Amino acid sequence: MSVFSRFGDWVREGQIWGSVFRHGVPRDRRTRAMAVLSNVFLHLHPVAIRKSGIRLSFTWCMGGLTFFLFLVEVVTGVLLMFYYRPTVEYAYFDIQGLRAHVTLGLLREMHRWGAHAMVIAIWLHMLRVFLTGSYKPPREFNWVVGVILLVLTLLLSFTGYLLPWDQLAMWAIAVGSNMARATPVLGHEGPLAQLVQIGGVPLVHAGDDARFGLLAGTFVGPNALLRFYVLHCIFIPLVVGVLIAVHFWRIRKDGGISGPL
Amino acid sequence: MMNSILATESLLAAGGVEAIKSGINWICQPHWFFILSCAGTGVFLAGYRTLTKPAVGIFVLVAFTIAYSLSAFDPDFLSIIIKPDNIPITLMFYLFGFFIWLGFRQSALNDQAMEEGKPLMEAGSDDKVLVWPDLVYTELIAMVLCTVFLMVWAVVLRAPLEQPADPSLAPNPAKAPWYFLGLQELLVYFDPWIAGVLLPGLVIVGLAAIPFIDKNPRGNGYYTFKERKFAVTMFMIGFVILWLVLIVFGTFLRGPNWNFFGPYEYWDAHRPVALLNINLSEIFWVQWLNQGIPTEGRWGLPHYVYRELPGIAVLIGYFFVLPGILRVTVFKKLADQMGFIRFALMVQLFLWMALIPIKMVLRWGWNFKYIVAITELFLNF
């Protein structure tokens, strides 16, 4: 026996290792089952799983990759938050700084490309789930959760689009948020909004309509930047996190990865 | 018409490459592009068993790659595809091409197997394997490859950063992020309250409603097309044509002032486009009845309601009479299985979806604008 494997055994038999991993080396059925059962992260999975369900050509691994890309976005995003300041004075120059002289400024590239990849991955995941009919009973509710997660993913990407505060960002958000002013009843240029009035005084106007609520102003300005920043970094990720937990839990409760009945 | 004359002229004038380019520009006019996309999807779905054979797939892959690469020699096309935020579009072509092929390939094999009485490729639901090591290692490898892919992408390509935001300097065209370009394209054919609020809302509601509408018990948990032709066809129309194809529209074919340009055409911001769009009320009162557009109401109706009565009638017919007709004709079998509420929901979603290509074709073919135009209340349809 070599020195290294003896050292390995010594570590694995010691008290520190044993305090973390309460099972032996996963070499037989029992310890392998224990490896999954006694690990908070791995126990998202069942211990055993249908063979055809984990075929790569069946699942395309796209749901898992969407989740992984979400984690990549969280990690890179948190690191970017140490540097970036969401104010009109600093935002653009902080992004420039990330590109020009910040160590690991490359994280911004990973964050942006990861976001694009996540959008594509979640669409592919939806396509796979649809083509295999995996939304059918008993998985109807989980499909609905997935649809909400899809919308939130697009919103995450959209709110993040504004943060670099360059021309691309501002005008993409201007185009997008302009729609909100046409919301029926709630937008000041929306249908029927004129009818909401008291004594000839319109209640829905540019200063209080749906677009105002989205941008915290009548144009894409400093308040919109702050609002999108908070939505992007705190609010939507929290909701997504909760829904991902529900999504995964329901996969287990609804019988695991789908297969022919 | 004008474009086709121009195309024919340049075919004669310039030789070889230029001729091919203007030919492709010509075929990428909105109506041809859209019709060809629909026809392509239709042919693919009809012949999915033959067309998903690996040889066909490889041929399409090679042909597309050659055409796409050669196109990159055109400066106008190149300027579109090298925009950093358009890289996902190129990625999208390959990924969706591949995975749509993969899904339908497995459907074809499964459908074949079912006909021959052989087991499905997903069969053997009692065969279980342990998650450690079989699944966790697959996941680990997928995560590592994904990380490597992202890192290479990040090193090779810088994330875009344009000039600092300037509220007084609007770019032309001002485009939404690529994944919303389909919705932005809808703004051409619908007012913002429909294109930006109602239709996206209906897409979300419609997607969420799928499992409650589709009561077909077959095709649960395995790839098949034969057993659920209607559901899969509807999904492919909605997802591939009305979402992905419209994104391609917005990326490659929409230039300054949101005008249509061929993929190899210079984005000339000063190209004049003479367009006079026409509403249904004008067609009805002016062209058919030869009288002016009513400016006074009748039968106690405000003038704008009276003026738009023909359009209102068309909409009532479309959303409330047509479902009844569909109920007893093409959708008869489906409706019998579904029951009233499910069928009513399904048919409304279906009609909304169908309204998009209908209005697109009306606009391209006849410069048609609104069915109902109550501009007084911002209620244009």
Side-chain angles (χ1 to χ4, degrees):
Chain A
M1 204 188 264
S2 73
V3 179
F4 292 110
S5 66
R6 254 191 298 169
F7 178 72
D9 285 347
W10 178 75
V11 169
R12 274 194 288 268
E13 284 156 18
Q15 190 184 355
I16 297 177
W17 184 273
S19 72
V20 181
F21 301 103
R22 297 187 181 280
H23 53 81
V25 184
R27 282 190 189 124
D28 52 38
R29 274 192 81 83
R30 201 190 77 85
T31 43
R32 283 174 169 176
M34 287 295 289
V36 173
L37 271 175
S38 61
N39 182 308
V40 70
F41 304 108
L42 290 182
H43 98 289
L44 281 171
H45 304 108
V47 167
I49 199 162
R50 288 184 43 253
K51 203 173 179 177
S52 67
I54 57 168
R55 245 176 55 235
L56 207 53
S57 56
F58 182 76
T59 64
W60 308 350
C61 208
M62 279 303 159
L65 280 179
T66 308
F67 178 53
F68 177 66
L69 286 165
F70 176 72
L71 296 181
V72 169
E73 293 302 287
V74 169
V75 172
T76 54
V78 166
L79 292 173
L80 290 171
M81 282 169 79
F82 283 120
Y83 190 80
Y84 169 86
R85 289 163 290 182
T87 61
V88 172
E89 291 81 15
Y90 297 123
Y92 181 79
F93 300 102
D94 284 352
I95 299 288
Q96 247 183 355
L98 282 170
R99 141 185 300 225
H101 54 71
V102 176
T103 313
L104 293 183
L106 206 64
L107 286 173
R108 189 211 156 205
E109 269 73 21
M110 279 191 77
H111 193 75
R112 187 160 189 125
W113 303 141
H116 288 328
M118 189 176 162
V119 169
I120 293 179
I122 200 168
W123 287 356
L124 286 171
H125 176 57
M126 180 179 69
L127 180 67
R128 190 288 285 182
V129 170
F130 187 89
L131 288 181
T132 55
S134 303
Y135 57 83
K136 298 192 174 196
R139 298 185 177 80
E140 308 102 304
F141 177 69
N142 219 11
W143 166 269
V144 177
V145 175
V147 170
I148 300 170
L149 280 169
L150 170 72
V151 175
L152 289 175
T153 301
L154 293 176
L155 287 181
L156 268 177
S157 213
F158 184 68
T159 48
Y161 218 81
L162 181 64
L163 304 186
W165 204 247
D166 60 345
Q167 281 287 73
L168 190 66
M170 165 175 269
W171 289 97
I173 303 308
V175 168
S177 61
N178 265 340
M179 312 250 185
R181 72 165 119 204
T183 313
V185 186
L186 296 179
H188 76 281
E189 285 178 9
L192 308 177
Q194 291 171 334
L195 302 179
V196 188
Q197 52 173 333
I198 294 176
V201 181
L203 290 185
V204 179
H205 51 80
D208 71 351
D209 68 345
R211 183 165 179 270
F212 190 90
L214 190 66
L215 297 180
T218 52
F219 60 97
V220 184
N223 292 345
L225 181 56
L226 182 62
R227 186 157 292 201
F228 274 50
Y229 177 75
V230 174
L231 286 173
H232 183 75
C233 301
I234 309 287
F235 186 76
I236 306 178
L238 279 180
V239 180
V240 167
V242 171
L243 286 177
I244 286 177
V246 175
H247 200 58
F248 287 0
W249 188 73
R250 283 300 288 238
I251 296 174
R252 292 287 303 276
K253 293 292 154 184
D254 295 341
I257 296 171
S258 65
L261 301 169
Chain B
M1 194 57 204
M2 197 59 200
N3 277 339
S4 68
I5 293 170
L6 284 176
T8 328
E9 267 178 11
S10 49
L11 265 173
L12 296 173
V17 179
E18 287 307 314
I20 295 171
K21 275 193 198 173
S22 55
I24 295 176
N25 279 339
W26 185 77
I27 211 110
C28 283
Q29 291 173 94
H31 51 288
W32 286 122
F33 190 80
F34 192 73
I35 290 168
L36 286 176
S37 313
C38 294
T41 310
V43 168
F44 177 75
L45 291 179
Y48 74 108
R49 297 204 192 187
T50 325
L51 293 176
T52 54
K53 293 216 164 106
V56 182
I58 289 168
F59 173 76
V60 172
L61 173 72
V62 172
F64 176 79
T65 305
I66 291 174
Y68 207 71
S69 314
L70 287 179
S71 298
F73 285 101
D74 179 88
D76 297 310
F77 189 85
L78 188 68
S79 71
I80 297 173
I81 57 169
I82 59 168
K83 267 193 203 115
D85 266 9
N86 283 348
I87 300 297
I89 307 280
T90 303
L91 205 60
M92 203 176 82
F93 280 125
Y94 282 95
L95 285 175
F96 279 92
F98 174 73
F99 281 110
I100 289 172
W101 170 79
L102 184 63
F104 278 86
R105 173 72 187 152
Q106 295 182 84
S107 301
L109 293 177
N110 265 347
D111 292 344
Q112 182 83 23
M114 277 187 282
E115 278 162 20
E116 294 167 1
K118 289 181 188 154
L120 299 167
M121 63 177 76
E122 290 88 355
S125 47
D126 297 331
D127 285 353
K128 293 220 167 180
V129 290
L130 286 172
V131 162
W132 186 297
D134 286 281
L135 181 56
V136 286
Y137 276 81
T138 312
E139 288 173 344
L140 180 71
I141 292 165
M143 286 193 283
V144 170
L145 291 180
C146 182
T147 310
V148 170
F149 175 74
L150 265 186
M151 281 183 165
V152 171
W153 192 358
V155 170
V156 173
L157 270 174
R158 308 231 78 166
L161 189 66
E162 298 186 349
Q163 295 300 306
D166 182 354
S168 61
L169 192 69
N172 188 9
K175 287 193 179 183
W178 63 272
Y179 40 83
F180 284 149
L181 282 179
L183 292 177
Q184 197 177 358
E185 177 68 20
L186 294 185
L187 275 172
V188 178
Y189 316 99
F190 297 96
D191 264 19
W193 71 278
I194 299 180
V197 184
L198 198 61
L199 285 175
L202 281 172
V203 170
I204 298 167
V205 171
L207 280 175
I210 286 175
F212 306 99
I213 296 174
D214 180 6
K215 293 310 283 179
N216 178 0
R218 285 176 300 175
N220 185 345
Y222 53 95
Y223 287 98
T224 175
F225 178 50
K226 196 183 160 208
E227 291 191 331
R228 31 197 301 254
K229 280 204 161 146
F230 181 70
V232 173
T233 306
M234 281 298 122
F235 189 80
M236 295 301 282
I237 290 174
F239 188 53
V240 176
I241 295 181
L242 297 181
W243 191 257
L244 298 182
V245 168
L246 289 193
I247 288 176
V248 175
F249 256 60
T251 309
F252 288 95
L253 308 180
R254 286 296 189 180
N257 309 323
W258 211 250
N259 285 328
F260 258 113
F261 290 86
Y264 310 121
E265 219 173 319
Y266 171 67
W267 280 9
D268 181 2
H270 303 291
R271 190 178 76 173
V273 177
L275 258 190
L276 195 61
N277 290 328
I278 187 161
N279 297 333
L280 181 66
S281 47
E282 287 168 59
I283 297 175
F284 181 81
W285 297 107
V286 181
Q287 295 186 4
W288 291 354
L289 297 187
N290 268 325
Q291 62 186 66
I293 290 173
T295 48
E296 289 186 13
R298 223 189 247 192
W299 309 315
L301 297 170
H303 73 281
Y304 48 79
V305 176
Y306 177 64
R307 181 188 67 209
E308 300 301 330
L309 274 181
I312 294 171
V314 167
L315 283 187
I316 291 176
Y318 184 75
F319 283 108
F320 298 102
V321 181
L322 192 56
I325 298 170
L326 293 174
R327 167 73 181 81
V328 291
T329 51
V330 276
F331 287 154
K332 188 170 186 322
K333 225 174 101 191
L334 209 62
D336 290 339
Q337 294 167 354
M338 292 174 106
F340 178 75
I341 294 180
R342 282 204 180 87
F343 178 74
L345 179 61
M346 189 281 284
V347 94
Q348 287 303 324
L349 291 169
F350 174 81
L351 288 174
W352 274 101
M353 200 165 112
L355 196 62
I356 296 169
I358 289 174
K359 276 207 85 175
M360 290 167 95
V361 169
L362 285 174
R363 173 64 62 85
W364 297 329
W366 295 273
N367 290 334
F368 184 82
K369 190 152 192 191
Y370 293 125
I371 302 170
V372 170
I374 305 180
T375 325
E376 290 82 353
L377 295 177
F378 295 121
L379 192 66
N380 302 317
F381 204 99

